């Protein structure tokens, strides 16, 4: 394995082992030190001196064994054979999701109105169930058990519908920005080297979708992942799909977190409420390094360019937003590092699996993930940069649409 590949594999974003429970997505797991559950919420476990540490993704509560295909947009063409291309990796399966897929394909500007209609229907169904629940208290024992089971099934269906509404809105925001989502990753037959990153390069457009302060932290995030190869984007690395998926999922969550704190930062900046100097000591902004990864993965070796794990923090540059975040107390920091809804967690899991594919892994008796049989893919560092930028943007958009929908149909856990 060359140093370029080692740089990707040994990113602090990557988990080193997972839970003994083999169910659910291996891209998202909360069994490690990087994430934690608070009730049904998911948190990035952040410390005031370790803002960008992501050791492990979170454990999914469901098993997504079914292959999800992308929904397809037919591109207009003067010929009879109209070409087609996917606009998102994940196929929407609920009636509302399929309806929104058609709107996205044919009339994307009408998606907000269609979403309003679907949310009104969800609210009507939820209100109706609440009224029925009040009248069910007088039912006999057997009937009330059946009623509760039916109510549970309806609630699960509403949750799935809500997930797909949120996903459709995220996809629409990418379409508005004129940035196509990366399709499901498979080796390209048109590339003799077998590289998977044959997608369009939209790096500049993705960078422009964020505030200057937020992009400073995104750049630091890229430096952590790409290491010294951040300026050499043509080199190609071979890496397992599992590792790529874990980087992608963690980057989505990081984008969600960044948008949340940047929103507060921009508001306080506009109202001139920011403390002078940013409110924090820059000396406290060093990144806490993960445990010695080389002992867990001896095949990894050194980082690209000879940068050791202990020296990885040198890639982090001071930024005003970072200083602002470091002024938070630990409780506020953890609250902002929380994925607020089960639906948001579900979207991250399903989208990542639809994009990367289901990894082929084995859980050893010691609870360690054996990914030796997982498919290896070839990807350039430029392709990895594009992938991570998309993931961070996806998380940022997810925060936006989650807040927008919650104002009309309350579902976020406070």
């Amino acid at each position: 394995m060359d140093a370029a590949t080692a740089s990707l594999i040994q990113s602090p974003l990557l988990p080193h082992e997972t839970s003994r429970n083999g169910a659910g997505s291996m891209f998202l797991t909360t069994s490690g030190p990087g994430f934690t559950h608070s009730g049904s919420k998911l948190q990035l476990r952040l410390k005031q001196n370790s803002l960008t540490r992501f050791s492990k993704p979170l454990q999914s509560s469901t098993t997504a064994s079914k292959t999800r295909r992308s929904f397809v947009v037919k591109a207009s063409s003067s010929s009879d054979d109209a070409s087609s291309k996917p606009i998102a990796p994940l196929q929407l399966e609920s009636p509302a999701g399929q309806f929104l897929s058609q709107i996205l394909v044919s009339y994307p500007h009408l998606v907000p109105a269609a979403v309003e209609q679907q949310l009104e229907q969800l609210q009507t169904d939820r209100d109706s169930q609440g009224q029925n629940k009040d009248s069910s208290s007088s039912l006999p024992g057997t009937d009330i058990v059946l009623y509760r089971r039916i109510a549970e099934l309806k609630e699960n269906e509403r949750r799935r519908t809500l997930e797909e509404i949120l996903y459709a809105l995220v996809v629409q925001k990418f379409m508005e920005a004129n940035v196509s989502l990366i399709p499901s990753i498979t080796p390209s037959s048109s590339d003799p080297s077998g590289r998977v990153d044959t997608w369009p390069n939209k790096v500049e457009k993705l960078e422009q979708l964020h505030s200057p302060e937020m992009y400073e932290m995104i750049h630091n995030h890229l430096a952590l992942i790409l290491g010294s190869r951040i300026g050499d984007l043509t080199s190609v690395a071979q890496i397992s799909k599992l590792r790529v998926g874990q980087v992608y999922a963690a980057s989505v969550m990081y984008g969600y977190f960044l948008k949340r704190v940047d929103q507060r930062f921009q508001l306080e900046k506009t109202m001139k409420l920011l403390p002078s100097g940013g409110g924090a000591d820059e000396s406290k902004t060093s990144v806490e390094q993960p445990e010695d990864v080389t002992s867990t993965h001896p095949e990894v070796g050194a980082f690209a360019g000879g940068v050791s794990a202990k020296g990885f923090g040198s890639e982090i540059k001071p930024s005003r937003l970072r200083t602002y975040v470091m002024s938070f107390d630990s409780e506020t920091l953890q609250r902002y590092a929380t994925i607020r809804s089960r639906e948001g967690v579900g979207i991250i899991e399903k989208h990542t699996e639809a994009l990367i594919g289901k990894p082929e892994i084995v859980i050893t008796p010691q609870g360690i993930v054996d990914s030796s049989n997982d498919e290896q893919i070839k990807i350039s560092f430029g392709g990895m940069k594009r992938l991570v930028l998309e993931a961070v943007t996806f998380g940022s958009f997810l925060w936006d649409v989650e807040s927008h929908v919650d104002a009309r149909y309350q579902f976020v856990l406070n």
Side-chain angles (χ1 to χ4, degrees):
M1 179 181 297
D2 61 14
T5 306
S7 174
L8 282 176
I9 292 181
Q10 197 154 340
S11 164
L13 291 174
L14 300 179
H16 312 309
E17 59 182 69
T18 60
S19 168
R20 296 176 185 269
N21 180 6
S25 171
M26 294 310 302
F27 304 130
L28 299 176
T29 172
T30 51
S31 58
F35 298 88
T36 184
H37 270 303
S38 175
S40 59
K41 300 179 183 179
L42 168 69
Q43 294 179 337
L44 298 174
R45 188 180 303 158
L46 301 177
K47 297 183 180 180
Q48 286 177 300
N49 66 339
S50 59
L51 180 61
T52 54
R53 178 182 178 185
F54 297 100
S55 296
K56 298 186 182 180
L58 52 93
Q59 180 73 29
S60 131
S61 59
T62 60
T63 302
S65 60
K66 181 164 65 173
T67 299
R68 296 179 175 88
R69 294 168 298 176
S70 57
F71 53 89
V72 171
V73 53
K74 296 290 184 180
S76 60
S77 172
S78 57
S79 65
D80 294 335
D81 298 328
S83 61
S84 64
K85 62 178 181 178
I87 59 174
L90 181 62
Q91 179 184 14
L92 305 187
E93 298 172 345
S94 70
Q98 293 178 3
F99 169 69
L100 290 174
S101 297
Q102 293 298 322
I103 299 295
L104 276 167
V105 168
S106 305
Y107 309 102
H109 62 286
L110 296 180
V111 169
V115 165
E116 292 289 342
Q117 182 184 42
Q118 296 300 320
L119 292 177
E120 287 178 8
Q121 184 61 50
L122 284 180
Q123 187 63 55
T124 299
D125 293 344
R126 187 161 68 178
D127 292 343
S128 176
Q129 182 174 331
Q131 294 173 0
N132 293 337
K133 183 178 180 180
D134 295 336
S135 61
S136 66
S137 56
S138 59
L139 292 174
T142 304
D143 290 347
I144 197 169
V145 170
L146 179 60
Y147 169 81
R148 287 174 179 170
R149 178 56 180 159
I150 293 173
E152 180 183 349
L153 292 173
K154 289 183 177 180
E155 177 62 27
N156 290 338
E157 181 61 27
R158 280 198 299 273
R159 182 172 294 115
R160 184 178 70 155
T161 298
L162 187 57
E163 276 187 14
E164 297 191 350
I165 288 173
L166 293 168
Y167 188 77
L169 286 172
V170 170
V171 173
Q172 188 217 15
K173 288 180 76 68
F174 275 98
M175 295 176 71
E176 286 179 342
N178 196 27
V179 175
S180 55
L181 282 163
I182 294 172
S184 297
I185 293 178
T186 54
S188 173
S189 58
S190 60
D191 191 317
S193 67
R195 277 176 45 191
V196 298
D197 54 312
T198 56
W199 47 73
N201 188 334
K202 300 282 187 177
V203 168
E204 289 186 3
K205 286 188 176 181
L206 287 167
E207 292 172 346
Q208 293 167 3
L209 294 174
H210 309 286
S211 70
E213 296 86 356
M214 185 170 169
Y215 183 69
E216 286 179 344
M217 293 189 70
I218 294 173
H219 180 79
N220 286 338
H221 178 69
L222 286 166
L224 281 173
I225 295 172
L226 302 180
S228 61
R229 294 291 184 138
I230 194 168
D232 178 18
L233 302 180
T234 59
S235 298
V236 177
Q238 184 166 301
I239 185 171
S240 76
K241 275 192 170 184
L242 174 63
R243 296 297 180 189
V244 175
Q246 289 166 340
V247 170
Y248 190 92
S251 298
V252 171
M253 297 177 66
Y254 188 58
Y256 181 99
F257 166 75
L258 279 184
K259 186 55 181 282
R260 190 173 187 178
V261 297
D262 185 58
Q263 191 175 68
R264 171 172 162 172
F265 175 83
Q266 297 299 335
L267 176 62
E268 293 191 10
K269 185 173 75 169
T270 301
M271 299 180 69
K272 303 186 184 305
L273 297 176
L274 291 176
S276 59
D281 183 356
E282 284 292 344
S283 64
K284 298 181 181 179
T285 63
S286 62
V287 177
E288 179 186 274
Q289 299 305 326
E291 61 272 18
D292 186 1
V293 198
T294 55
S295 63
T296 309
H297 292 288
E299 76 281 4
V300 169
F303 287 100
V307 182
S308 68
K310 299 300 181 183
F312 214 8
S314 61
E315 298 290 342
I316 297 300
K317 298 179 181 179
S319 70
R320 194 177 182 193
L321 180 59
R322 180 181 175 79
T323 304
Y324 171 76
V325 172
M326 301 316 292
S327 69
F328 292 175
D329 58 56
S330 58
E331 182 180 350
T332 302
L333 191 60
Q334 287 301 331
R335 178 163 55 85
Y336 273 74
T338 302
I339 303 295
R340 300 182 300 169
S341 67
R342 294 170 61 182
E343 292 79 7
V345 175
I347 287 171
I348 297 171
E349 173 193 326
K350 293 172 184 176
H351 173 72
T352 304
E353 187 171 297
L355 175 66
I356 308 297
K358 195 171 181 66
E360 302 206 3
I361 55 167
V362 175
I363 308 296
T364 68
Q366 293 76 29
I368 306 298
V369 174
D370 178 8
S371 59
S372 58
N373 293 326
D374 190 33
E375 180 182 354
Q376 301 286 313
I377 60 174
K378 291 181 179 180
I379 183 170
S380 70
F381 281 80
M384 197 67 188
K385 180 178 180 179
R386 163 71 164 86
L387 196 72
V388 171
L389 279 173
E390 176 187 291
V392 173
T393 305
F394 190 101
S396 172
F397 286 168
L398 179 58
W399 164 263
D400 288 337
V401 303
E402 188 184 64
S403 302
H404 171 80
V405 171
D406 185 62
R408 291 152 179 78
Y409 179 85
Q410 187 174 4
F411 69 99
V412 166
L413 302 172
N414 296 316

